[in-house]
Amino acid sequence: MSDIIKILPSDVSNKIAAGEVVQRPSSVLKELIENSIDANSTRIKIIIKDAGKNLIQVIDNGEGMSRNDMHLSFIKHATSKISKIEDIFSISSMGFRGEALAAIASVSMVEMESINDNQNGHFIEINGGELLSEKESNIQEGTSIKIKNIFYNVPARRNFLKSDFVELRHILDVFHRLAISHPEIEFSFINNEEEIFYLKEESLNKRIISIFGEKIRENLIPINESTQIANISGFVLKPEFSKKSRSNQFVFVNNRFIKSQFISHSIFASFVGLLKDGYHPGYFLFIDIDPTKIDVNVHPNKTEIKFDDDQNLYSIINSSVKHCLGIYQVSPVLDFDKDPSMDISYDQVNSKPTNPTIEINSEFNPFEVFNDEEINKVPGDYLSSHNKLKLNDDNNQALKIFQILNKFIVSTNKSSLIIINQNLAHQRILYESFLKSIFENSINSQKLVFPIELSLTKKQLLLYNKIIDEFKSIGFEISLKNELMHVESIPFGIEKNNVEEVIENILNEDFNVSNDFSTADFFAKRLSKITSIKSGQKLNLDEQEYIVNHLFSCKEPNLSPDNKQIFITLNKNDIENKFNG
Ligand code: ADP
Ligand code: MG
């Protein structure tokens, strides 16, 4: 018998390989967006027609390609991302097999335009893997790639595509995953001529809200744990927000979306007792792990992953999620837009790699530093709707509360002395109430008989335009004519005489807030600082009581909006030690 083994022509092998990479329009979109991300784009535009069956276009402002590289990019195993086998184990870019474009081109009609630093723009057109034409292009930046008529030359596969509705859903899944893991990139998404997403560069929580809608805002619980094995961050959705589907489950390992049963299970197990039957928790979990400890190459679509240390990772994720749920249960998340570190106000637990344990103290209260066990009963009194404090109710004594140095409020309970910084305490109270007004849009203002007129500088105007919504939502009614501001209403709680100072003070601040801080947070912080009771101010008993009562009704009574300690306590031992020491 003569030899029967043949090497397949490359167009046939590419078509076969295409089956692995290109299952449907959404898999093409994923490869294209990932290439744009790898090219360091900061702006990516996606244009889809007929659920991607007739057009998938991705336009980026990335590094682009030379004319030669454009040709090479369609050859199998052509990649700029790895050159030796070790690279695979430490790869940080999205794609690296160098087969996506070759596979896609073999089953579709492709037009690509690109420009890079050194050359003029270029255009090439490829049908079914064959170069059809090329010419100069006047593209100004980055790369634009159009994939038309997917599977036009493999009718069996084209017929296999599902309805537009189903294919578009897959496309949106892919888009959501990439948009969530890259909030630093601006995305626009146009479906059949209609822009359905415009996502500006933003922080992660904003990105999640931009995609899933305002309702998700108050359901996000921040999670943040660092351990020797992995760092876990992101958001977990409150148990009340769980769904019958798993559609709100996102896990990213080293910023790459993955599916992993054991990770889902470890999160699910953390919710035990908190979910109704048949409901699934929601989460946006980012796991950062040494890339040499994982193998992402186990599946061509790279959404599956193998970890070297499954068991420990399981426990770490499980404990971290429990930890953040524990914190939320005792102090509901009012505003996640602020620095998430503030939500974890007690010491973060460093999980040991071998046997991670994270304790959840469901009894957490502002007095947990006290040694006296009985003290756990106190917060109920603080939080009661009565305005009268009952710190000393065991002895039926009158409340002991007084001010010292015109700066601190001193109070006592059964066995401890509490010394509260009046300025910081008031900042905290105002901060939380301003945030609440902003988020609930609960306007609470008084009309001014004579509007106040203020003239703004260009810089102030710029900042004002950024935080105009916050001004409104807190109770300011302001109209702007040229650079002249007319203040018509002001929030309750702000003195008429102070208005000018308050506004100037807010608008003179440099707004260079890091991503974790929202404009709302910035605004509430500034305003609380400006309008709070200052050190040196003498307070009457009512005012002192007001501070103490309201402070301990706050979500986070321990720390000021700028993370300063608001009060200290001296318990029996502390005091006795002073005498024995
Ligand atoms: P891989 O991404 O695995 O390297 P691909 O087939 O997806 O393989 O892409 C091949 C090469 O084409 C990439 O390595 C990259 O150099 C280049 N390339 C593809 N898309 C772009 C883009 N949008 N911008 C710049 N270069 C790109
Ligand atoms: Mg790629």
Side-chain angles (χ1 to χ4, degrees):
M1 208 164 94
S2 57
D3 297 343
I4 53 168
I5 296 181
K6 290 192 280 293
I7 297 197
L8 288 174
S10 68
D11 66 319
V12 178
S13 68
N14 278 344
K15 274 191 199 170
I16 295 171
E20 279 203 324
V21 181
V22 191
Q23 288 129 354
R24 52 190 353 139
S26 65
S27 25
V28 171
L29 182 66
K30 171 175 177 284
E31 296 296 337
L32 300 184
I33 299 179
E34 286 184 349
N35 281 345
S36 296
I37 294 172
D38 284 344
N40 293 321
S41 309
T42 58
R43 212 176 329 112
I44 299 177
K45 181 172 184 177
I46 296 144
I47 301 172
I48 300 291
K49 287 220 172 100
D50 308 312
K53 289 173 188 171
N54 293 329
L55 177 71
I56 304 163
Q57 183 175 11
V58 173
I59 304 166
D60 68 42
N61 67 346
E63 285 150 6
M65 275 171 276
S66 67
R67 183 180 166 162
N68 218 8
D69 279 350
M70 286 173 75
H71 284 278
L72 282 173
S73 69
F74 289 100
I75 294 170
K76 194 168 178 187
H77 302 308
T79 177
S80 53
K81 298 164 194 171
I82 57 169
S83 54
K84 52 185 190 305
I85 191 70
E86 294 80 44
D87 295 345
I88 286 188
F89 299 104
S90 55
I91 190 84
S92 63
S93 64
M94 307 294 284
F96 52 84
R97 291 163 163 248
E99 58 189 15
L101 287 186
I104 292 165
S106 73
V107 293
S108 62
M109 301 171 174
V110 180
E111 289 173 23
M112 184 197 259
E113 288 174 81
S114 194
I115 183 165
N116 80 354
D117 292 347
N118 313 318
Q119 294 175 359
N120 294 331
H122 197 64
F123 168 93
I124 60 175
E125 189 179 6
I126 293 172
N127 276 8
E130 299 291 325
L131 181 69
L132 213 65
S133 72
E134 62 181 308
K135 58 183 182 198
E136 288 231 324
S137 145
N138 63 2
I139 184 170
Q140 297 300 306
E141 59 172 5
T143 303
S144 162
I145 180 163
K146 280 187 189 170
I147 310 298
K148 299 192 292 189
N149 300 323
I150 183 174
F151 298 136
Y152 80 100
N153 55 353
V154 201
R157 303 212 55 191
R158 183 145 178 119
N159 292 337
F160 226 78
L161 293 177
K162 297 277 178 7
S163 69
D164 281 10
F165 176 76
V166 172
E167 294 300 340
L168 189 63
R169 248 192 12 213
H170 284 290
I171 283 186
L172 289 175
D173 280 347
V174 159
F175 176 68
H176 288 168
R177 293 164 188 171
L178 288 161
I180 291 168
S181 52
H182 293 278
E184 77 286 1
I185 295 178
E186 174 186 320
F187 283 98
S188 62
F189 187 112
I190 292 158
N191 180 48
N192 291 339
E193 324 266 309
E194 186 194 350
E195 185 173 78
I196 55 175
F197 283 104
Y198 169 71
L199 308 171
K200 60 179 196 311
E201 174 196 346
E202 54 199 345
S203 60
L204 173 62
N205 47 31
K206 288 266 176 73
R207 178 59 56 94
I208 294 172
I209 296 163
S210 304
I211 294 176
F212 295 96
E214 196 56 33
K215 228 178 101 192
I216 208 167
R217 181 192 288 275
E218 61 190 35
N219 285 290
L220 294 167
I221 312 171
I223 177 165
N224 228 321
E225 296 284 350
S226 311
T227 72
Q228 286 169 25
I229 290 185
N231 293 338
I232 318 270
S233 64
F235 296 91
V236 171
L237 294 174
K238 288 184 187 172
E240 301 92 281
F241 207 71
S242 57
K243 292 211 158 149
K244 286 205 159 155
S245 77
R246 295 173 203 268
S247 58
N248 281 336
Q249 302 189 338
F250 293 83
V251 175
F252 302 88
V253 171
N254 296 348
N255 219 25
R256 191 192 298 264
F257 177 84
I258 59 116
K259 285 182 180 151
S260 154
Q261 277 211 319
F262 97 86
I263 292 181
S264 318
H265 191 272
S266 78
I267 303 171
F268 187 76
S270 321
F271 276 81
V272 78
L274 299 172
L275 296 176
K276 279 188 271 179
D277 254 8
Y279 279 72
H280 301 280
Y283 40 82
F284 304 87
L285 214 65
F286 290 76
I287 302 169
D288 277 320
I289 194 161
D290 178 353
T292 60
K293 299 273 193 293
I294 52 177
D295 180 6
V296 284
N297 209 16
V298 289
H299 189 275
N301 266 336
K302 292 172 279 195
T303 55
E304 272 158 37
I305 196 164
K306 264 190 2 217
F307 297 92
D308 287 358
D309 198 358
D310 283 18
Q311 275 195 345
N312 281 321
L313 197 60
Y314 185 100
S315 328
I316 287 169
I317 294 170
N318 183 271
S319 320
S320 309
V321 175
K322 275 187 185 156
H323 186 196
C324 92
L325 288 172
I327 292 172
Y328 144 68
Q329 276 180 340
V330 291
S331 60
V333 179
L334 179 72
D335 171 41
F336 54 83
D337 271 338
K338 64 182 184 164
D339 185 351
S341 65
M342 281 173 60
D343 281 313
I344 301 172
S345 57
Y346 49 96
D347 285 348
Q348 290 194 2
V349 180
N350 286 326
S351 312
K352 293 186 194 79
T354 42
N355 185 19
T357 54
I358 293 176
E359 278 179 13
I360 300 153
N361 175 10
S362 63
E363 301 292 324
F364 174 68
N365 68 62
F367 300 98
E368 66 178 359
V369 288
F370 296 1
N371 291 333
D372 193 331
E373 282 164 25
E374 295 234 333
I375 230 67
N376 281 339
K377 293 176 191 155
V378 171
D381 290 331
Y382 272 116
L383 300 176
S384 73
S385 52
H386 306 294
N387 253 359
K388 198 85 190 141
L389 272 178
K390 298 181 197 156
L391 290 169
N392 268 324
D393 61 351
D394 56 337
N395 300 334
N396 277 339
Q397 278 177 357
L399 175 69
K400 295 270 191 309
I401 180 168
F402 53 91
Q403 191 188 24
I404 52 169
L405 303 170
N406 286 345
K407 200 171 177 183
F408 301 105
I409 301 168
V410 182
S411 185
T412 56
N413 65 26
K414 271 186 192 168
S415 62
S416 304
L417 196 68
I418 308 166
I419 305 172
I420 300 166
N421 179 316
Q422 64 188 43
N423 170 248
L424 297 180
H426 198 213
Q427 279 188 34
R428 163 55 62 182
I429 296 165
L430 292 171
Y431 170 74
E432 292 199 5
S433 91
F434 287 140
L435 271 182
K436 205 156 172 271
S437 312
I438 293 174
F439 286 121
E440 292 175 356
N441 225 343
S442 50
I443 296 180
N444 186 8
S445 63
Q446 46 182 325
K447 203 136 195 98
L448 296 175
V449 187
F450 302 106
I452 297 169
E453 231 178 56
L454 282 170
S455 86
L456 299 186
T457 65
K458 277 264 180 311
K459 203 170 153 214
Q460 289 174 328
L461 197 66
L462 223 60
L463 177 53
Y464 174 69
N465 283 327
K466 240 184 195 159
I467 54 178
I468 203 162
D469 287 346
E470 280 77 14
F471 265 106
K472 268 195 203 133
S473 60
I474 218 154
F476 279 106
E477 210 178 291
I478 292 174
S479 62
L480 205 63
K481 283 178 202 104
N482 300 321
E483 273 144 45
L484 213 59
M485 185 186 240
H486 293 261
V487 186
E488 278 139 26
S489 301
I490 57 172
F492 275 114
I494 293 184
E495 295 283 325
K496 254 174 264 160
N497 299 341
N498 286 346
V499 173
E500 202 167 330
E501 189 198 341
V502 165
I503 293 178
E504 291 245 311
N505 239 309
I506 292 177
L507 295 180
N508 285 346
E509 190 73 2
D510 261 345
F511 187 73
N512 59 352
V513 188
S514 78
N515 269 351
D516 286 316
F517 290 85
S518 61
T519 46
D521 184 61
F522 165 82
F523 192 89
K525 256 191 203 155
R526 290 301 309 150
L527 204 54
S528 61
K529 224 179 198 158
I530 299 161
T531 54
S532 55
I533 290 169
K534 303 290 177 305
S535 289
Q537 198 168 326
K538 187 152 183 54
L539 303 179
N540 64 31
L541 191 61
D542 281 348
E543 289 165 336
Q544 295 170 29
E545 279 185 10
Y546 173 92
I547 296 279
V548 177
N549 274 327
H550 284 77
L551 175 64
F552 292 109
S553 307
C554 279
K555 180 197 158 218
E556 177 61 279
N558 297 5
L559 297 173
S560 76
D562 290 323
N563 273 350
K564 291 190 190 125
Q565 187 165 358
I566 295 176
F567 62 88
I568 55 165
T569 58
L570 289 174
N571 63 26
K572 199 166 140 244
N573 287 346
D574 296 332
I575 297 169
E576 274 171 0
N577 284 342
K578 294 265 174 219
F579 289 102
N580 299 334

